[in-house]
Amino acid sequence: MKAKVGAMTVVSSPVSGSRLDVWLSAMRPRTLPMALSPVFVGACFAEAFAGRINGPAVFVAALAAICIQIATNLYNDVGDFERGGDGPDRMGPARAAAGGLLTPEEIKRAAFGFFALAATGGLFLVSFGGWPILLLGALSILSGWAYAGGPAPISYSPFGELFVIAFFGLGAVGGTYWLCAGALHSEPLLAGLALGLFAAGVLMVNNHRDAVADARVGRRTLAIVAGPGGSRALFALMMAAPFALVVVMVAAAPERALWLAFGAAPFAWGHWGQARALFAEAPGPGLNRVLARTALTQALYAFLLGLGALI
């Protein structure tokens, strides 16, 4: 089963147990590596290419990223409920709002609380990064809310994948690098684009799988606009392009072992080569596996890329 969480979906089981279990399920902790991987890579690249790493800033940036992710997940739960997106044809686990496990009001209060925590951390980070970090932080929080909130939610448009690339990739890696180095170079931007493409691939799987249910509630996601064939092609591109970017990064910094990121290729190859078969099948366990494997590929790619930058 699957649940939309911010910019991604996670397979999980129905919610049961204590009220704490309900809250943890609504926060979707399995999505947090997507928020942390770009911070890790940005810090590693700062140490490698600028010779500087700001430990306190990186720590607070990681906490702020986690808070924004949790807030986005919570607001997505209640936002979909209020728009009727959690109907009987949704193939996910019990949602906190739709299942009556938590009230919409208390979910919203928690979401805004996490946004406020992220903003507090952001104010601390401004002392290191100045107005660029203030702007990036404000846009990140606004976009987290706008993903499922407001009159025109991003999740109801074809621009969700661009949102993911911008904030789960370019912004997170570039922002962390800026906090440490006080400058921005091509290498962290290339790395951010690569990580963002993997995260966009996760969203593409989600949206392809949910195309029928999403169309019912008026969504026009990229998967719906592109159609099944276009979704398969875009997903294959999103899985292949990060490895092409490794070639570019290696050419730009041959003294670093960035080629280690190719170690994640075997995990991606199954998706790239079998994208047509996986996307041709009916929504079900096959797509759940490709979803989990895509997230694993991004995490492994980020770890190897950061390690390669340091050695």
Side-chain angles (χ1 to χ4, degrees):
M1 290 186 295
K2 153 323 258 172
K4 278 184 176 285
V5 287
M8 60 205 71
T9 294
V10 173
V11 179
S12 63
S13 58
V15 178
S16 62
S18 68
R19 186 172 173 83
L20 176 61
D21 292 331
V22 173
W23 275 111
L24 288 175
S25 178
M27 292 176 188
R28 310 303 183 201
R30 293 181 185 178
T31 68
L32 299 185
M34 289 281 193
L36 293 174
S37 290
V39 176
F40 169 76
V41 171
C44 290
F45 271 51
E47 173 64 27
F49 295 105
R52 290 193 234 167
I53 187 166
N54 186 328
V58 171
F59 179 72
V60 173
L63 291 179
I66 288 172
C67 287
I68 291 174
Q69 180 62 57
I70 291 174
T72 304
N73 293 346
L74 290 171
Y75 207 88
N76 189 75
D77 186 304
V78 71
D80 276 356
F81 168 70
E82 292 180 339
R83 288 181 170 79
D86 289 337
D89 54 348
R90 192 183 72 85
M91 299 186 310
R95 285 287 190 89
L101 302 170
L102 298 169
T103 67
E105 291 73 21
E106 61 186 342
I107 296 173
K108 285 183 180 179
R109 284 197 299 270
F112 286 120
F114 277 103
F115 279 135
L117 287 174
T120 302
L123 292 176
F124 170 78
L125 295 176
V126 168
S127 65
F128 295 102
W131 70 264
I133 294 300
L134 177 63
L135 179 61
L136 176 62
L139 289 175
S140 297
I141 292 172
L142 178 62
S143 297
W145 167 78
Y147 186 79
I154 296 169
S155 64
Y156 280 64
S157 76
F159 306 115
E161 284 75 9
L162 290 177
F163 158 84
V164 167
I165 291 170
F167 292 100
F168 279 78
L170 292 167
V173 177
T176 304
Y177 188 95
W178 178 276
L179 283 169
C180 295
L184 199 56
H185 301 103
S186 60
E187 291 88 353
L189 291 178
L190 291 169
L193 178 58
L195 293 182
L197 284 165
F198 279 126
V202 173
L203 182 59
M204 179 58 73
V205 176
N206 298 345
N207 287 345
H208 173 83
R209 182 168 60 181
D210 281 354
V212 173
D214 285 349
R216 174 182 60 80
V217 295
R219 275 191 166 114
R220 292 288 293 168
T221 62
L222 183 58
I224 293 173
V225 172
S231 296
R232 292 192 295 265
L234 286 169
F235 177 70
L237 178 62
M238 290 168 185
M239 296 304 295
F243 296 100
L245 289 170
V246 172
V247 175
V248 179
M249 286 186 277
V250 168
E255 73 280 6
R256 298 292 174 181
L258 301 178
W259 48 266
L260 281 178
F262 283 118
F267 290 88
W269 183 259
H271 299 308
W272 187 19
Q274 300 175 35
R276 181 173 181 178
L278 285 168
F279 276 101
E281 67 179 79
L287 293 182
N288 292 343
R289 286 191 295 272
V290 74
L291 173 68
R293 193 166 177 174
T294 303
L296 175 62
T297 301
Q298 193 226 34
L300 180 60
Y301 180 100
F303 173 74
L304 293 175
L305 188 65
L307 180 64
L310 294 176
I311 63 175

